[in-house]
Protein backbone atom coordinates (compact mmCIF):
# COMPACT_ATOMS: atom_id res chain seq x y z
CA UNK A 1 0.00 0.00 0.00
CA UNK A 2 1.36 3.40 -0.88
CA UNK A 3 2.05 5.86 1.91
CA UNK A 4 1.30 8.94 -0.07
CA UNK A 5 -0.80 10.86 2.40
CA UNK A 6 0.55 13.73 4.48
CA UNK A 7 -0.98 14.46 7.87
CA UNK A 8 -0.83 18.10 9.04
CA UNK A 9 -1.29 18.60 12.78
CA UNK A 10 -1.75 22.21 13.89
CA UNK A 11 -4.38 24.04 15.90
CA UNK A 12 -3.81 27.28 13.97
CA UNK A 13 -6.07 27.55 10.99
CA UNK A 14 -3.77 29.75 8.92
CA UNK A 15 -0.89 27.27 9.28
CA UNK A 16 -3.11 24.37 8.17
CA UNK A 17 -4.29 26.43 5.22
CA UNK A 18 -0.75 27.52 4.32
CA UNK A 19 0.52 23.95 4.44
CA UNK A 20 -2.42 22.65 2.45
CA UNK A 21 -1.80 25.28 -0.21
CA UNK A 22 1.96 24.75 -0.28
CA UNK A 23 1.66 20.97 -0.56
CA UNK A 24 -1.02 20.97 -3.25
CA UNK A 25 1.44 20.86 -6.20
CA UNK A 26 2.88 17.59 -4.87
CA UNK A 27 -0.40 15.94 -5.82
CA UNK A 28 -0.53 13.90 -2.61
CA UNK A 29 -3.53 13.62 -0.28
CA UNK A 30 -3.27 16.09 2.62
CA UNK A 31 -5.16 15.31 5.82
CA UNK A 32 -5.46 17.71 8.74
CA UNK A 33 -5.87 17.30 12.47
CA UNK A 34 -6.55 20.15 14.91
CA UNK A 35 -5.31 18.38 18.02
CA UNK A 36 -2.94 15.66 19.19
CA UNK A 37 -5.84 13.39 20.08
CA UNK A 38 -7.28 13.70 16.60
CA UNK A 39 -3.83 13.10 15.05
CA UNK A 40 -3.31 9.86 16.98
CA UNK A 41 -6.74 8.69 15.88
CA UNK A 42 -5.96 9.50 12.25
CA UNK A 43 -2.58 7.73 12.38
CA UNK A 44 -4.49 4.42 12.20
CA UNK A 45 -4.76 5.22 8.50
CA UNK A 46 -1.97 3.14 6.89
CA UNK A 47 -1.87 5.50 3.91
CA UNK A 48 -0.13 8.20 5.94
CA UNK A 49 3.61 8.37 5.29
CA UNK A 50 4.54 11.82 6.56
CA UNK A 51 3.28 13.82 9.53
CA UNK A 52 3.93 17.56 9.89
CA UNK A 53 3.51 18.25 13.59
CA UNK A 54 3.51 21.44 15.64
CA UNK A 55 5.22 21.30 19.03
CA UNK A 56 2.54 23.45 20.56
CA UNK A 57 -0.92 21.95 20.58
CA UNK A 58 -3.81 22.20 23.00
CA UNK A 59 -4.32 19.03 25.05
CA UNK A 60 -1.70 16.42 24.21
CA UNK A 61 1.32 18.41 22.98
CA UNK A 62 3.48 17.70 19.94
CA UNK A 63 6.18 15.82 21.89
CA UNK A 64 3.61 13.45 23.40
CA UNK A 65 2.11 12.85 19.96
CA UNK A 66 5.59 12.16 18.58
CA UNK A 67 6.33 9.81 21.43
CA UNK A 68 3.21 7.73 20.77
CA UNK A 69 3.55 7.90 17.01
CA UNK A 70 7.15 6.66 17.22
CA UNK A 71 5.89 3.57 19.05
CA UNK A 72 2.72 2.93 17.11
CA UNK A 73 3.71 4.16 13.66
CA UNK A 74 7.53 4.12 13.44
CA UNK A 75 7.19 4.01 9.65
CA UNK A 76 5.77 7.55 9.54
CA UNK A 77 8.38 10.28 9.00
CA UNK A 78 7.77 13.30 11.23
CA UNK A 79 8.58 16.93 10.48
CA UNK A 80 8.39 19.17 13.54
CA UNK A 81 7.14 22.76 13.16
CA UNK A 82 9.07 25.15 15.39
CA UNK A 83 8.75 28.81 16.20
CA UNK A 84 11.53 30.89 14.64
CA UNK A 85 14.82 30.76 16.51
CA UNK A 86 13.59 28.34 19.14
CA UNK A 87 15.27 25.03 19.80
CA UNK A 88 12.32 23.40 21.45
CA UNK A 89 13.38 20.09 22.88
CA UNK A 90 15.07 19.08 19.64
CA UNK A 91 17.23 16.46 21.35
CA UNK A 92 14.19 14.63 22.64
CA UNK A 93 12.60 14.75 19.21
CA UNK A 94 15.80 13.39 17.71
CA UNK A 95 15.94 10.53 20.19
CA UNK A 96 12.43 9.65 19.02
CA UNK A 97 13.60 9.62 15.43
CA UNK A 98 12.31 13.04 14.32
CA UNK A 99 15.14 14.63 12.37
CA UNK A 100 13.44 17.34 10.38
CA UNK A 101 12.44 20.75 11.61
CA UNK A 102 10.85 23.66 9.84
CA UNK A 103 10.58 27.12 11.35
CA UNK A 104 7.54 29.34 10.96
CA UNK A 105 7.15 31.19 8.68
CA UNK A 106 8.30 29.04 5.79
CA UNK A 107 8.23 29.47 2.03
CA UNK A 108 6.00 27.00 0.13
CA UNK A 109 8.97 25.68 -1.82
CA UNK A 110 10.92 24.96 1.35
CA UNK A 111 8.23 22.72 2.80
CA UNK A 112 7.69 20.94 -0.52
CA UNK A 113 11.42 20.23 -0.81
CA UNK A 114 11.56 18.99 2.75
CA UNK A 115 8.56 16.66 2.34
CA UNK A 116 10.06 15.22 -0.86
CA UNK A 117 13.44 14.75 0.78
CA UNK A 118 11.91 13.04 3.81
CA UNK A 119 9.82 10.76 1.59
CA UNK A 120 12.79 9.70 -0.51
CA UNK A 121 15.14 9.23 2.40
CA UNK A 122 14.05 5.73 3.40
CA UNK A 123 15.11 4.31 0.05
CA UNK A 124 18.62 5.84 0.15
CA UNK A 125 21.63 3.54 0.08
CA UNK A 126 25.39 3.98 0.32
CA UNK A 127 25.46 4.47 -3.43
CA UNK A 128 23.51 7.73 -3.03
CA UNK A 129 25.97 9.12 -0.54
CA UNK A 130 28.77 10.37 -2.72
CA UNK A 131 28.35 14.01 -1.79
CA UNK A 132 27.88 16.10 1.33
CA UNK A 133 24.08 16.30 1.06
CA UNK A 134 23.78 12.58 0.43
CA UNK A 135 25.90 11.77 3.50
CA UNK A 136 23.81 14.07 5.69
CA UNK A 137 20.66 12.41 4.38
CA UNK A 138 22.07 8.99 5.28
CA UNK A 139 22.92 10.31 8.75
CA UNK A 140 19.32 11.43 9.14
CA UNK A 141 18.05 8.09 7.89
CA UNK A 142 20.13 6.41 10.59
CA UNK A 143 18.78 8.76 13.26
CA UNK A 144 15.27 7.89 12.13
CA UNK A 145 16.20 4.28 12.75
CA UNK A 146 17.64 5.29 16.16
CA UNK A 147 21.08 4.11 15.09
CA UNK A 148 23.05 7.05 16.46
CA UNK A 149 26.47 5.46 16.05
CA UNK A 150 25.88 4.88 12.33
CA UNK A 151 24.49 8.43 12.08
CA UNK A 152 27.68 9.81 13.61
CA UNK A 153 29.75 7.87 11.11
CA UNK A 154 27.80 9.32 8.16
CA UNK A 155 27.87 12.83 9.60
CA UNK A 156 31.64 12.64 10.05
CA UNK A 157 32.02 11.52 6.46
CA UNK A 158 29.86 14.46 5.34
CA UNK A 159 32.20 16.83 7.17
CA UNK A 160 35.15 15.15 5.49
CA UNK A 161 33.57 15.85 2.10
CA UNK A 162 33.00 19.53 2.81
CA UNK A 163 34.70 20.98 5.86
CA UNK A 164 33.52 24.49 5.04
CA UNK A 165 29.88 24.03 5.97
CA UNK A 166 28.45 24.42 9.42
CA UNK A 167 25.55 22.01 9.28
CA UNK A 168 27.74 18.90 9.22
CA UNK A 169 29.81 19.97 12.23
CA UNK A 170 26.67 20.92 14.10
CA UNK A 171 25.17 17.51 13.40
CA UNK A 172 28.34 15.72 14.51
CA UNK A 173 28.22 17.84 17.68
CA UNK A 174 24.58 17.02 18.32
CA UNK A 175 25.20 13.30 17.88
CA UNK A 176 28.14 13.41 20.29
CA UNK A 177 25.86 15.15 22.75
CA UNK A 178 23.26 12.40 22.35
CA UNK A 179 26.02 9.84 22.86
CA UNK A 180 27.15 11.69 26.03
CA UNK A 181 30.51 13.00 24.80
CA UNK A 182 30.41 16.62 25.90
CA UNK A 183 33.97 17.53 24.92
CA UNK A 184 33.59 16.32 21.35
CA UNK A 185 30.18 17.98 21.13
CA UNK A 186 31.70 21.30 22.21
CA UNK A 187 34.60 20.97 19.81
CA UNK A 188 32.31 20.36 16.84
CA UNK A 189 29.89 23.16 17.72
CA UNK A 190 32.91 25.49 17.89
CA UNK A 191 34.08 24.34 14.48
CA UNK A 192 30.58 24.93 13.09
CA UNK A 193 30.57 28.48 14.44
CA UNK A 194 34.06 29.04 13.09
CA UNK A 195 33.22 28.08 9.51
CA UNK A 196 29.95 30.00 9.54
CA UNK A 197 29.37 32.48 12.37
CA UNK A 198 25.88 33.15 10.96
CA UNK A 199 24.73 29.56 11.42
CA UNK A 200 22.42 30.10 14.37
CA UNK A 201 21.76 26.51 15.51
CA UNK A 202 25.43 25.85 16.23
CA UNK A 203 25.79 29.17 18.06
CA UNK A 204 22.79 28.26 20.22
CA UNK A 205 24.10 24.77 20.93
CA UNK A 206 27.51 26.10 21.87
CA UNK A 207 26.12 28.73 24.22
CA UNK A 208 23.80 26.23 25.85
CA UNK A 209 26.51 23.64 26.37
CA UNK A 210 29.05 26.16 27.63
CA UNK A 211 26.61 27.68 30.09
CA UNK A 212 25.44 24.17 31.07
CA UNK A 213 22.35 25.78 32.43
CA UNK A 214 20.19 25.33 29.38
CA UNK A 215 17.25 23.02 29.50
CA UNK A 216 16.68 23.42 25.77
CA UNK A 217 17.28 20.76 23.19
CA UNK A 218 20.01 20.49 20.65
CA UNK A 219 19.52 23.06 17.94
CA UNK A 220 19.79 21.39 14.66
CA UNK A 221 17.77 22.98 11.99
CA UNK A 222 18.41 21.99 8.46
CA UNK A 223 17.92 25.31 6.86
CA UNK A 224 17.91 28.04 9.45
CA UNK A 225 20.78 30.41 9.12
CA UNK A 226 22.84 28.51 6.59
CA UNK A 227 24.67 30.74 4.20
CA UNK A 228 24.26 30.87 0.48
CA UNK A 229 20.52 30.50 0.27
CA UNK B 1 0.38 35.87 -11.77
CA UNK B 2 -0.33 32.28 -12.65
CA UNK B 3 2.49 30.74 -10.64
CA UNK B 4 2.17 30.65 -6.87
CA UNK B 5 4.56 33.21 -5.40
CA UNK B 6 6.09 33.70 -1.98
CA UNK B 7 5.34 37.28 -0.98
CA UNK B 8 6.44 39.38 2.00
CA UNK B 9 4.26 42.37 2.87
CA UNK B 10 5.54 45.04 5.25
CA UNK B 11 2.69 46.88 6.99
CA UNK B 12 -0.73 45.46 7.77
CA UNK B 13 -2.74 48.68 7.60
CA UNK B 14 -5.64 49.25 5.24
CA UNK B 15 -3.53 48.69 2.13
CA UNK B 16 -1.32 45.94 3.54
CA UNK B 17 -4.22 43.88 4.86
CA UNK B 18 -6.14 44.33 1.62
CA UNK B 19 -3.15 43.06 -0.37
CA UNK B 20 -2.51 40.21 2.07
CA UNK B 21 -6.13 39.03 1.91
CA UNK B 22 -6.28 39.27 -1.86
CA UNK B 23 -2.94 37.59 -2.57
CA UNK B 24 -3.61 34.83 -0.07
CA UNK B 25 -7.02 34.18 -1.65
CA UNK B 26 -5.27 33.89 -5.02
CA UNK B 27 -3.20 31.04 -3.61
CA UNK B 28 0.10 32.80 -2.99
CA UNK B 29 2.26 32.19 0.06
CA UNK B 30 2.18 35.36 2.17
CA UNK B 31 4.04 36.67 5.22
CA UNK B 32 2.75 39.96 6.59
CA UNK B 33 4.80 42.00 9.07
CA UNK B 34 3.52 44.71 11.40
CA UNK B 35 4.70 46.35 14.61
CA UNK B 36 1.29 46.09 16.23
CA UNK B 37 -0.29 42.66 16.82
CA UNK B 38 -3.76 44.24 16.70
CA UNK B 39 -3.15 45.20 13.05
CA UNK B 40 -3.69 41.57 12.04
CA UNK B 41 -7.36 41.80 13.03
CA UNK B 42 -7.89 43.24 9.55
CA UNK B 43 -7.01 39.90 7.96
CA UNK B 44 -9.77 37.58 6.72
CA UNK B 45 -10.63 34.32 8.46
CA UNK B 46 -9.50 32.62 5.24
CA UNK B 47 -6.07 34.28 5.31
CA UNK B 48 -3.64 31.42 4.78
CA UNK B 49 -0.35 33.17 5.39
CA UNK B 50 1.88 34.00 8.33
CA UNK B 51 1.63 37.00 10.65
CA UNK B 52 4.84 38.34 12.08
CA UNK B 53 5.05 40.98 14.80
CA UNK B 54 8.21 43.03 14.48
CA UNK B 55 9.95 46.12 13.18
CA UNK B 56 10.75 45.55 9.52
CA UNK B 57 13.53 48.15 9.71
CA UNK B 58 15.56 45.49 11.54
CA UNK B 59 17.04 43.09 9.04
CA UNK B 60 16.72 40.26 11.56
CA UNK B 61 12.93 40.63 11.32
CA UNK B 62 13.14 40.50 7.53
CA UNK B 63 15.32 37.40 7.77
CA UNK B 64 12.79 35.84 10.08
CA UNK B 65 10.09 36.54 7.47
CA UNK B 66 12.22 34.50 5.04
CA UNK B 67 12.71 37.48 2.77
CA UNK B 68 15.69 35.62 1.27
CA UNK B 69 13.16 33.21 -0.25
CA UNK B 70 10.66 35.83 -1.41
CA UNK B 71 9.65 36.37 -5.03
CA UNK B 72 8.07 39.74 -4.24
CA UNK B 73 8.35 42.35 -1.50
CA UNK B 74 5.58 44.89 -0.96
CA UNK B 75 6.62 47.78 1.30
CA UNK B 76 3.35 49.40 2.32
CA UNK B 77 3.99 50.62 5.86
CA UNK B 78 2.66 53.96 7.03
CA UNK B 79 5.89 55.89 6.70
CA UNK B 80 7.61 56.59 3.41
CA UNK B 81 11.04 56.41 5.00
CA UNK B 82 10.35 52.94 6.35
CA UNK B 83 9.14 51.79 2.95
CA UNK B 84 12.17 53.23 1.19
CA UNK B 85 14.56 51.62 3.62
CA UNK B 86 12.82 48.24 3.63
CA UNK B 87 12.59 48.23 -0.16
CA UNK B 88 16.30 48.99 -0.49
CA UNK B 89 17.32 46.32 2.00
CA UNK B 90 15.05 43.86 0.21
CA UNK B 91 16.66 44.65 -3.08
CA UNK B 92 20.32 44.95 -2.08
CA UNK B 93 20.71 42.59 0.88
CA UNK B 94 18.08 39.92 0.22
CA UNK B 95 18.17 40.14 -3.59
CA UNK B 96 14.37 39.96 -3.89
CA UNK B 97 13.57 39.76 -7.64
CA UNK B 98 10.70 42.22 -7.46
CA UNK B 99 10.24 45.05 -4.99
CA UNK B 100 7.31 47.46 -4.88
CA UNK B 101 6.65 50.29 -2.45
CA UNK B 102 3.87 52.68 -1.57
CA UNK B 103 4.98 56.28 -1.28
CA UNK B 104 2.65 58.96 0.04
CA UNK B 105 4.78 61.96 -0.93
CA UNK B 106 4.91 62.42 -4.73
CA UNK B 107 8.19 64.31 -4.35
CA UNK B 108 9.90 61.13 -3.15
CA UNK B 109 8.80 58.96 -6.02
CA UNK B 110 11.80 60.04 -8.04
CA UNK B 111 14.16 58.90 -5.29
CA UNK B 112 12.61 55.44 -5.30
CA UNK B 113 12.80 55.24 -9.05
CA UNK B 114 16.50 55.99 -8.93
CA UNK B 115 16.94 52.95 -6.72
CA UNK B 116 15.04 50.83 -9.24
CA UNK B 117 12.07 50.32 -6.97
CA UNK B 118 8.58 50.33 -8.46
CA UNK B 119 6.29 52.72 -6.65
CA UNK B 120 2.64 53.52 -6.29
CA UNK B 121 1.69 56.95 -4.97
CA UNK B 122 -1.90 57.18 -3.68
CA UNK B 123 -1.77 60.98 -3.80
CA UNK B 124 -0.85 61.04 -7.46
CA UNK B 125 -3.34 58.29 -8.30
CA UNK B 126 -6.18 60.04 -6.47
CA UNK B 127 -5.25 63.36 -8.07
CA UNK B 128 -5.25 61.88 -11.54
CA UNK B 129 -8.54 60.08 -10.94
CA UNK B 130 -10.16 63.27 -9.66
CA UNK B 131 -8.88 65.30 -12.58
CA UNK B 132 -10.10 62.68 -15.01
CA UNK B 133 -13.55 62.70 -13.40
CA UNK B 134 -13.65 66.50 -13.51
CA UNK B 135 -12.59 66.42 -17.14
CA UNK B 136 -15.39 64.02 -18.03
CA UNK B 137 -18.07 65.99 -16.16
CA UNK B 138 -16.77 69.15 -17.85
CA UNK B 139 -17.20 67.55 -21.26
CA UNK B 140 -20.65 66.26 -20.35
CA UNK B 141 -21.86 69.77 -19.60
CA UNK B 142 -20.79 71.17 -22.93
Amino acid sequence: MSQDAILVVDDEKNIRLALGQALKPLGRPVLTALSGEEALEMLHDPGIGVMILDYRLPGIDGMAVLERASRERPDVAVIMITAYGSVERAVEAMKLGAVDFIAKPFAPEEIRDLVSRVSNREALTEADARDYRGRLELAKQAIRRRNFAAALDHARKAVGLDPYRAEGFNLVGALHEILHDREEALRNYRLAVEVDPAYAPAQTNLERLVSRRGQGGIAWDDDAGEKGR
Amino acid sequence: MAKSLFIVIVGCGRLGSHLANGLSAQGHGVVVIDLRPEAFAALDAQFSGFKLVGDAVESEVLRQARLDQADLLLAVAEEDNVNLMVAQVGQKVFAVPRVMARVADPAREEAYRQFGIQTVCPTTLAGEALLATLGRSGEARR
Side-chain angles (χ1 to χ4, degrees), chain A residues 14 17-18 21 84 105 110 229, chain B residues 48-50 60 64 66 69:
Chain A
N14 65 316
L17 286 169
Q21 228 167 48
Y84 180 84
E110 270 181 288
R229 293 181 55 88
Chain B
S48 67
F50 297 94
E60 182 53 30
Q64 191 176 343
R66 309 312 309 272
Q69 304 267 316

Side-chain angles (χ1 to χ4, degrees), chain A:
Chain A
M1 154 132 211
S2 83
Q3 287 191 301
D4 243 11
I6 301 161
L7 174 61
V8 170
V9 191
D10 206 306
D11 59 319
E12 282 179 74
K13 189 181 173 192
N14 65 316
I15 308 286
R16 289 197 306 275
L17 286 169
L19 280 167
Q21 228 167 48
L23 295 171
K24 207 186 274 173
L26 293 179
R28 296 168 58 165
V30 177
L31 312 169
T32 53
L34 281 66
S35 68
E37 289 85 346
E38 200 184 341
L40 289 169
E41 193 57 43
M42 291 176 83
L43 277 175
H44 293 304
D45 179 348
I48 294 170
V50 176
M51 171 163 66
I52 305 177
L53 176 65
D54 202 330
Y55 271 98
R56 277 170 223 168
L57 293 170
I60 310 180
D61 76 351
M63 277 309 292
V65 175
L66 174 64
E67 202 264 323
R68 279 208 28 206
S70 75
R71 266 187 287 129
E72 291 165 20
R73 285 296 305 276
D75 54 314
V76 173
V78 181
I79 296 170
M80 301 299 293
I81 305 176
T82 67
Y84 180 84
S86 75
V87 286
E88 303 168 77
R89 300 157 78 187
V91 66
E92 289 172 64
M94 233 187 285
K95 281 180 178 163
L96 295 167
V99 284
D100 299 282
F101 304 87
I102 189 143
K104 288 183 279 191
F106 42 76
E109 215 178 303
E110 270 181 288
I111 186 75
R112 279 196 292 275
D113 285 352
L114 186 54
V115 166
S116 303
R117 222 178 326 134
V118 162
S119 303
N120 297 331
R121 189 181 292 147
E122 269 315 287
L124 293 180
T125 62
E126 283 286 324
D128 300 303
R130 286 192 202 92
D131 62 355
Y132 180 81
R133 272 277 144 224
R135 271 293 162 198
L136 282 187
E137 284 299 303
L138 274 192
K140 290 179 184 181
Q141 183 196 57
I143 293 170
R144 248 189 59 63
R145 295 169 180 174
R146 328 283 200 276
N147 189 345
F148 300 114
L152 181 56
D153 186 49
H154 287 303
R156 278 200 185 120
K157 283 178 178 150
V159 166
L161 288 167
D162 189 350
Y164 298 101
R165 294 174 75 163
E167 191 191 350
F169 283 115
N170 187 50
L171 183 52
V172 171
L175 284 162
H176 275 300
E177 205 178 335
I178 286 182
L179 296 166
H180 309 292
D181 187 343
R182 184 175 178 268
E183 287 314 305
E184 273 301 298
L186 273 175
R187 199 176 69 86
N188 281 282
Y189 291 148
R190 283 204 186 96
L191 286 167
V193 171
E194 216 167 279
V195 296
D196 185 357
Y199 188 69
Q203 190 67 55
T204 314
N205 280 331
L206 185 59
E207 280 163 17
R208 177 179 44 76
L209 207 55
V210 167
S211 76
R212 293 198 92 171
R213 276 176 285 120
Q215 293 292 305
I218 295 177
W220 165 32
D221 185 347
D222 229 335
D223 301 312
E226 190 157 17
K227 268 185 182 170
R229 293 181 55 88

